[in-house]
Amino acid sequence: LDAGHKYAEAEQHFQACLEVNDSDPDLLRGWGECLVNLGRSPQASKLFRQIIEQNENDCGARLGLGKIALQEDRVEDAISWLEPAVAACPKQPDVRYAFAQALVAAGRQEEAAGHFAYFDEASTALTRVAHMTTHLVNHPDDVEARFEVGHLYMQYGSAEEGANWLRTVLAAEPEHAATHAILADYY
């Protein structure tokens, strides 16, 4: 199947799900991303704006609008959508990367460099997370691997997901000092 066919098929699934719950921001965001990939950016923009009306700090919707603005060479619009997304979700690598692209397009390379560096660092860390979670399928009792996954999520991904992983460390090893320290900072 070609990519266009997959997105058209995905759109049908999103529409079916939205018949049940037409205000779910995750569904709307996913459908919006699908529409962008189908070349229907105006319709996607409308969905992303609908999400932002409900939650002005929705990073996914701001990212979608920022990417659309970049595709349409509206650099300042892209920055205006993405800058608040970076402020609200500074750990999201895709948001940081899109913002860096917008900054470069605006001639602000030096400012973009830090965001590109973060993206590279986070991508490496999240690749490590993927490797470690695969490792944990066969070695579920590896407490240090669980700690590493939790710690990396806390630094570069979802803090909530990281805390969940770290709680599994404490379930196996209640006195794990490094885990207590990280969770104490989080809570």
Side-chain angles (χ1 to χ4, degrees):
L1 295 174
D2 65 64
H5 179 75
K6 289 180 182 178
Y7 287 118
E9 188 177 316
E11 180 184 18
Q12 292 174 356
H13 292 290
F14 279 116
Q15 288 174 334
C17 291
L18 286 163
E19 285 178 17
V20 175
N21 184 356
D22 67 352
S23 63
D24 182 287
D26 293 329
L27 288 174
L28 291 171
R29 202 177 307 107
W31 186 25
E33 291 170 14
C34 184
L35 290 170
V36 169
N37 286 298
L38 288 168
R40 295 172 27 211
S41 294
Q43 192 177 354
S45 290
K46 184 178 177 183
L47 287 174
F48 293 140
R49 289 174 190 274
Q50 181 181 338
I51 295 166
I52 290 172
E53 285 177 14
Q54 296 171 12
N55 176 7
E56 68 178 297
N57 290 322
D58 188 291
C59 296
R62 286 186 168 281
L63 175 61
L65 288 167
K67 284 181 172 181
I68 291 169
L70 273 175
Q71 289 172 351
E72 297 173 352
D73 292 322
R74 294 182 292 112
V75 175
E76 292 305 317
D77 285 344
I79 290 172
S80 71
W81 287 116
L82 293 167
E83 194 163 26
V86 169
C89 304
K91 292 182 181 182
Q92 285 190 358
D94 51 346
V95 170
R96 299 281 293 269
Y97 187 80
F99 186 53
Q101 288 178 310
L103 291 171
V104 167
R108 296 162 55 183
Q109 283 80 358
E110 286 183 31
E111 192 177 343
H115 296 285
F116 281 130
Y118 176 83
F119 175 80
D120 290 341
E121 188 178 308
S123 295
T124 299
L126 294 174
T127 298
R128 177 74 179 155
V129 164
H131 171 74
M132 295 308 294
T133 54
T134 300
H135 165 80
L136 284 163
V137 169
N138 297 317
H139 304 91
D141 296 331
D142 187 339
V143 173
E144 289 309 312
R146 288 178 174 281
F147 173 76
E148 185 176 357
V149 169
H151 188 225
L152 289 172
Y153 268 130
M154 295 295 276
Q155 290 178 297
Y156 299 105
S158 163
E160 182 179 341
E161 183 77 14
N164 289 338
W165 277 97
L166 292 173
R167 282 193 290 277
T168 70
V169 171
L170 294 179
E173 210 174 290
E175 301 302 318
H176 198 274
T179 298
H180 281 288
I182 293 171
L183 288 175
D185 285 343
Y186 174 64
Y187 291 115

